[in-house]
Amino acid sequence: MSPFKPVEEQLAYVSKGAVEIIREADLKERLEQSYKTGQPLRVKAGFDPTAPDLHLGHTVLIRKLKHFQDMGHTVVFLIGDGTGLIGDPTGRNATRPPLTREQLAINAKTYLEQVYKILDRDKTEIRYNTEWLDKLSFEDIVRLTAKFTVSQILEREDFHKRFQDEKPISVHEFLYPMMQGYDSVALKADVELGGTDQKFNLMVGRELQRQSGQPAQIVLTMPLLEGLDGVQKMSKSYGNYVGITETAHEMFGKLMSINDTLMWRYYELLTDLTTRQIDELKYSVQEGRLHPMQAKKDLAKRIIADFHSTEASEQAEENWTRQFQKDEVPEDLEEIKLSAAELGSTDGKLKLANILAKAALAESGSDAQRKIKSGAVKIDGEVYKELFIEVKPQSELVIRVGRKMKKVFLTN
């Protein structure tokens, strides 16, 4: 009896949310062979540790690795400490600033602490591509680069655009897709996962495997997750992200801000529910048996439970309900201390905009003034539109600006 689930069930689960599988017939054939022989597939995804922490957008690929892992296959979480020295040019209109080995090592350590919140520590193969890239001789690199032409590399959309716009492309950037492709040869990968923007690099891996006498890997691309705004991809630079190291309370509040359409996208890409289970939830909402807000709360709790705990997710829901549905103060409300001296006073009154900016409830003083004038500021439950506020030293204020709320202690 095979240790694996039926092939059709495996295929439906691992292809959930995928944009493209090259080729799906080949994946089915590999799964059938695996089912017959009892030999798991080797499934890899590479991550260059160019930043110290991850957000939910990064976890789309990690969760897809988990889906293969759930089906009994061997997943390889590849840390690109070698390719990270080059810097992935994908989607870039300029050369990435180089990182040192020390920076990459520090970031890689934090990655591992975070990915085990999704992947099974005991069943995950962790590899670093310096294991084989550092061993390549000059002759090896010459022979590897000889397998591709400049015109082939320039077929990459980002390279092509930079070339057309007469923007510089450093020669070392041309090495990146070849080095990533060589990773697949070194690991003898059956399947490689990547974002849609990585397709060129993944296809290079297929070609290098063919030329090395290996079966060409199946390429499975996943979409780039839209951020909280539902428009731009999730990114810290766009401010539309949910960090997986954020508090449960912060994560819950951010996730409850997404629109209903994006909610189903997140169900598909950020949970382990099957397509059938998600369709059943959609039908329940359409039939009026499940309120969209409850469906969104359930989504937020599922996601938070992965990175914190079930108890933390339930507490976050309770706090959010108090704050936004019952207009009460949550138990774990963030507290901040500000001194009257640093805020400056006029006739014994404090400038409210300064308080909001210092408490990170507004991006700047001018932004704070706009929020005050628009009636977006509540102090101790009451809308406050005055620019100055008279408070006694050692006062405590509960200030809410839109969805943000903090407890501010004013000291001498």
Side-chain angles (χ1 to χ4, degrees):
M1 183 177 178
S2 176
F4 302 106
K5 292 184 177 181
V7 170
E8 292 297 337
E9 184 178 342
Q10 289 190 62
L11 189 60
Y13 191 52
V14 300
S15 62
K16 183 190 75 160
V19 174
E20 189 174 14
I21 300 175
I22 305 171
R23 297 181 316 151
E24 188 168 342
D26 292 340
L27 176 57
K28 185 176 181 181
E29 184 179 325
R30 297 268 180 106
L31 289 172
E32 287 173 344
Q33 184 179 8
S34 171
Y35 185 84
K36 291 175 183 175
T37 63
Q39 186 70 28
L41 299 182
R42 289 181 60 76
V43 184
K44 68 168 269 223
F47 300 84
D48 287 354
T50 53
D53 46 47
L54 304 172
H55 56 62
L56 289 181
H58 296 119
T59 70
V60 172
L61 285 184
I62 300 171
R63 188 164 297 278
K64 186 53 62 180
L65 279 176
K66 180 181 183 294
H67 293 166
F68 276 96
Q69 193 171 68
D70 290 344
M71 293 294 105
H73 299 289
T74 300
V75 302
V76 182
F77 185 88
L78 176 63
I79 294 177
D81 57 337
T83 43
L85 291 170
I86 301 172
D88 187 0
T90 301
R92 306 285 294 190
N93 57 15
T95 303
R96 283 183 183 271
L99 293 177
T100 65
R101 285 185 184 270
E102 291 73 24
Q103 288 172 307
L104 292 167
I106 291 170
N107 293 344
K109 184 179 178 182
T110 64
Y111 272 30
L112 292 180
E113 292 169 357
Q114 295 168 49
V115 299
Y116 287 136
K117 293 178 179 180
I118 298 177
L119 298 176
D120 187 322
R121 184 186 298 268
D122 297 327
K123 297 179 180 178
T124 303
E125 185 176 321
I126 302 294
R127 302 293 293 272
Y128 296 80
N129 59 14
T130 48
E131 293 175 32
W132 46 87
L133 295 184
D134 278 359
K135 294 176 183 176
L136 291 176
S137 66
F138 180 69
E139 181 181 353
D140 293 330
I141 294 173
V142 169
R143 293 188 183 281
L144 181 61
T145 55
K147 297 178 185 293
F148 297 92
T149 65
V150 172
S151 61
Q152 284 178 302
I153 300 297
L154 285 176
E155 287 175 8
R156 273 185 60 140
E157 184 179 350
D158 36 29
F159 282 156
H160 180 72
K161 189 174 188 309
R162 282 163 67 180
F163 183 74
Q164 292 293 109
D165 294 344
E166 297 184 356
K167 292 184 177 179
I169 306 172
S170 296
V171 174
H172 77 287
E173 293 181 90
F174 282 175
L175 291 175
Y176 192 92
M178 288 177 268
M179 296 302 115
Q180 181 176 333
Y182 188 75
D183 291 342
S184 294
V185 175
L187 291 169
K188 295 183 171 59
D190 291 301
V191 181
E192 182 171 14
L193 313 180
T196 50
D197 58 344
Q198 288 282 323
K199 182 178 176 179
F200 182 92
N201 297 351
L202 306 181
M203 296 301 288
V204 168
R206 278 174 64 89
E207 180 58 30
L208 284 177
Q209 283 182 310
R210 284 196 194 98
Q211 294 187 31
S212 300
Q214 295 181 13
Q217 67 184 11
I218 286 87
V219 166
L220 188 153
T221 61
M222 295 297 292
L224 303 179
L225 184 71
E226 296 88 346
L228 300 173
D229 55 5
V231 180
Q232 301 273 18
K233 73 174 185 177
M234 185 172 285
S235 170
K236 283 193 171 184
S237 60
Y238 295 139
N240 62 358
Y241 70 99
V242 181
I244 68 173
T245 58
E246 292 180 344
T247 67
H249 182 71
E250 288 176 307
M251 293 180 75
F252 197 94
K254 287 185 175 183
L255 290 166
M256 289 303 294
S257 72
I258 64 175
N259 63 48
D260 291 351
T261 301
L262 190 59
M263 170 178 71
W264 298 118
R265 179 77 156 173
Y266 280 23
Y267 260 112
E268 181 180 48
L269 299 176
L270 301 175
T271 77
D272 296 330
L273 293 181
T274 64
T275 301
R276 176 180 292 182
Q277 288 170 321
I278 295 170
D279 286 342
E280 288 173 355
L281 286 176
K282 286 182 181 178
Y283 186 70
S284 295
V285 170
Q286 291 168 0
E287 292 292 298
R289 290 183 280 109
L290 177 64
H291 196 283
M293 181 173 285
Q294 186 57 52
K296 198 177 296 182
K297 286 181 178 180
D298 292 343
L299 168 67
K301 287 195 295 182
R302 280 182 178 277
I303 293 172
I304 291 166
D306 282 337
F307 303 107
H308 293 282
S309 66
T310 301
E311 294 75 15
S313 70
E314 291 172 349
Q315 184 63 53
E317 178 189 21
E318 185 180 327
N319 286 336
W320 186 90
T321 301
R322 280 181 176 177
Q323 185 173 341
F324 295 106
Q325 290 186 290
K326 297 180 180 179
D327 209 21
E328 297 177 2
V329 179
E331 290 180 359
D332 64 345
L333 186 63
E334 183 181 350
E335 299 177 354
I336 185 169
K337 288 184 179 181
L338 297 175
S339 68
E342 69 177 304
L343 294 169
S345 63
T346 303
D347 297 329
K349 295 182 179 181
L350 298 176
K351 194 172 183 180
L352 182 56
N354 288 348
I355 296 176
L356 300 185
K358 290 282 187 182
L361 290 167
E363 294 180 4
S364 63
S366 57
D367 178 50
Q369 288 189 24
R370 285 193 296 272
K371 286 177 164 59
I372 295 166
K373 291 176 181 178
S374 68
V377 178
K378 281 186 177 182
I379 298 178
D380 295 333
E382 300 293 330
V383 175
Y384 200 93
K385 289 189 175 183
E386 301 296 324
L387 295 180
F388 291 87
I389 182 169
E390 187 172 357
V391 291
K392 296 178 181 179
Q394 308 303 317
S395 294
E396 175 185 306
L397 303 174
V398 174
I399 305 178
R400 175 174 171 178
V401 182
R403 292 185 174 273
K404 294 182 178 179
M405 182 185 285
K406 292 185 180 180
K407 186 179 290 185
V408 178
F409 291 99
L410 294 172
T411 62
N412 292 328

